[in-house]
Amino acid sequence: MRGTALVFPMFVLYVVTIGRVSMTATDVALIALGERFEKLLLEHMDAWLEWAPRMRAARAEVRDNMAALAVAIQRTGCDVAQARMSELERDMQPLAEEIIAAPATSLAGLRAKALVALWEALPANASHDGAFDFPDASRSLFDAVAEMIGLMPMVRELEARLAADVEFKGGGA
């Protein structure tokens, strides 16, 4: 009996170690993609928050006159911010597709996938409600994943920036 008492814990340690090694090997590419994507996501959020008030200002200038909108977009600098967002999106889209297609076998791999979900939940237009736009009940699942993988501080910071943009919208443009 005594000899077998040490076998099971050693077996568990072996399985956990082998599992961790194979998990890391499997997720290495996904984790690297996630790290690149995260940097671009933060840049994109900065560009988006520069673009949104400029777009609102341009629209406020022209109301429903679409011909004047193009002129107002240039005058407010919205076109420059929008060009930066487009440049970032061209870099982000292929990374997002690779991340979506890759299997995640670790929390770090899951984090990469959550970053893509966060990007996809960015409000679609300059007039927004101050939060990410998660469809249906997926927000609760996203929050659980974000909490588990340590992404919640970033999510809270980005949502605070979206909320501040809404406050600016109310008082400014």
Side-chain angles (χ1 to χ4, degrees):
M1 221 34 171
R2 280 191 151 195
T4 59
L6 288 176
V7 171
F8 184 71
M10 293 303 281
F11 174 74
V12 170
L13 180 60
Y14 173 78
V15 168
V16 167
T17 303
I18 296 302
R20 208 174 294 150
V21 168
S22 68
M23 220 183 326
T24 302
T26 303
D27 272 358
V28 167
L30 179 59
I31 293 164
L33 289 170
E35 289 170 356
R36 287 176 45 207
F37 191 86
E38 182 173 348
K39 289 175 187 170
L40 292 170
L41 173 64
L42 293 173
E43 282 185 60
H44 187 273
M45 188 70 186
D46 289 343
W48 194 94
L49 285 166
E50 182 180 333
W51 166 81
R54 292 170 190 256
M55 179 57 90
R56 288 191 303 268
R59 287 187 188 267
E61 268 185 38
V62 299
R63 303 281 182 243
D64 292 330
N65 184 345
M66 295 310 279
L69 181 59
V71 173
I73 284 174
Q74 287 182 327
R75 184 174 33 260
T76 62
C78 182
D79 58 337
V80 174
Q82 193 160 1
R84 178 65 182 140
M85 284 175 30
S86 294
E87 179 182 310
L88 288 164
E89 289 169 3
R90 278 191 299 277
D91 293 340
M92 293 171 78
Q93 189 60 47
L95 291 174
E97 290 171 9
E98 285 186 68
I99 290 168
I100 290 167
T105 58
S106 69
L107 291 178
L110 185 60
R111 187 175 199 282
K113 290 184 175 281
L115 289 167
V116 173
L118 189 59
W119 178 50
E120 291 174 340
L122 190 62
N125 57 52
S127 297
H128 58 90
D129 296 327
F132 287 96
D133 185 19
F134 286 92
D136 306 323
S138 66
R139 178 60 196 244
S140 62
L141 177 60
F142 178 84
D143 284 349
V145 168
E147 194 68 49
M148 177 179 260
I149 60 176
L151 195 59
M152 198 50 106
M154 178 196 294
V155 172
R156 286 188 184 119
E157 177 191 333
L158 295 177
E159 282 192 318
R161 293 177 67 195
L162 284 171
D165 185 57
V166 167
E167 290 173 18
F168 173 76
K169 176 175 69 172

